[in-house]
Amino acid sequence: MNLVRPQSAGRGGTTRNELKRAARRLFAERGIAAVGMREIVEAAGQRNAAAVHYYFGSKDDLLRELVVEGADLIDEARMRMLDEAEARGDLALRDVVRALVIPNAELQGETGEGDTYFRFMTSMQTERRQMFDEWAGGEHSAGYVRCLTHFHRLLDHLPLALVNQRLLFAGLSLRTLLAGREAARDAGVGADHPYWGEAVALDGMIDAVEAILTGPARPA
């Protein structure tokens, strides 16, 4: 007999969303391989041991949904920011950096994406990198691709290999900062913290990415 998984309005019903919230936090805190399906069910406060299989299918199916939903939330916000910045004209490098950083830093979602998504991303990129790149790319990263196009245009006075290296370093640095900020929030760091406070952290991440991209280059 084929099992038809329940579908509901929006991104899912209460049980489905609680399973996603619990799974993402466990994956973020402990890694992908260390977390079993039964633990997710227990952490979500469910009694049916087969609930994850019922709602999602396999563990990979659940992982893909978590990756894609967070990526889509980020990309939708990034596309809106780029549309607005391009409509104003005279797009500057900092405008593009802001469009890169802010949708990540202000990520919110109904299943707790803003609390755990970047540490979950770190686990995925460490343990399931090929899957992550496949799932988070394509239609789910159109805004990121637009940012890259603008960066290459605005930094065309630099050697292409150097620009690509700096984009890689900036992306890795930003993901590390975002994951660190998540962990600090979990530890109870408040909005007045000198490093991780809301405005301070956001401005600092934008400054850091811009500095990586525009810093002086060593002579070849």
Side-chain angles (χ1 to χ4, degrees):
M1 180 178 67
N2 292 328
L3 180 65
V4 179
R5 298 187 193 100
Q7 301 293 323
S8 56
R11 297 173 62 204
T14 301
T15 299
R16 184 182 181 88
N17 284 348
E18 287 308 308
L19 288 166
K20 287 190 286 189
R21 183 189 300 272
R24 192 187 307 103
R25 176 164 289 281
L26 288 171
F27 293 143
E29 294 178 346
R30 295 176 48 199
I32 307 301
V35 176
M37 303 289 249
R38 183 179 294 274
E39 292 174 276
I40 296 171
V41 172
E42 292 174 354
Q46 301 301 312
R47 296 180 179 180
N48 183 357
V52 176
H53 291 288
Y54 178 62
Y55 281 96
F56 302 99
S58 69
K59 186 176 185 179
D60 283 355
D61 291 329
L62 170 59
L63 290 169
R64 184 184 186 283
E65 187 160 331
L66 295 177
V67 168
V68 166
E69 286 187 345
D72 283 347
L73 288 170
I74 292 167
D75 205 58
E76 289 165 9
R78 183 168 290 142
M79 293 286 274
R80 287 194 299 270
M81 286 193 68
L82 288 170
D83 287 343
E84 292 169 3
E86 290 170 358
R88 291 194 300 270
D90 297 325
L91 192 72
L93 184 74
R94 192 167 181 89
D95 295 321
V96 188
V97 173
R98 286 174 56 82
L100 183 71
V101 174
I102 290 176
N104 292 303
E106 296 185 349
L107 173 64
Q108 296 295 326
E110 64 186 55
T111 65
E113 284 87 347
D115 298 328
T116 54
Y117 187 70
F118 293 100
R119 284 173 290 167
F120 165 61
M121 277 179 58
T122 299
S123 295
M124 282 294 301
Q125 290 171 326
T126 301
E127 300 182 42
R128 304 285 185 93
R129 185 175 184 83
Q130 184 174 351
M131 288 180 175
F132 178 84
D133 290 344
E134 176 185 345
W135 294 338
E139 63 184 308
H140 309 293
S141 61
Y144 177 69
V145 172
R146 282 174 69 183
C147 284
L148 293 183
T149 300
H150 283 302
F151 284 137
H152 280 106
R153 176 178 58 82
L154 293 164
L155 296 169
D156 64 357
H157 58 285
L158 297 173
L160 178 60
L162 178 61
V163 173
N164 288 335
Q165 182 192 55
R166 288 184 173 186
L167 288 169
L168 173 64
F169 287 178
L172 292 172
S173 299
L174 178 58
R175 286 195 290 271
T176 301
L177 289 168
L178 291 163
R181 181 167 169 255
E182 276 185 0
R185 283 175 163 181
D186 265 357
V189 165
D192 58 347
H193 191 275
Y195 305 137
W196 297 118
E198 293 297 319
V200 172
L202 182 59
D203 288 343
M205 286 187 281
I206 293 170
D207 289 343
V209 170
E210 187 173 22
I212 291 171
L213 295 176
T214 61
R218 292 182 60 185

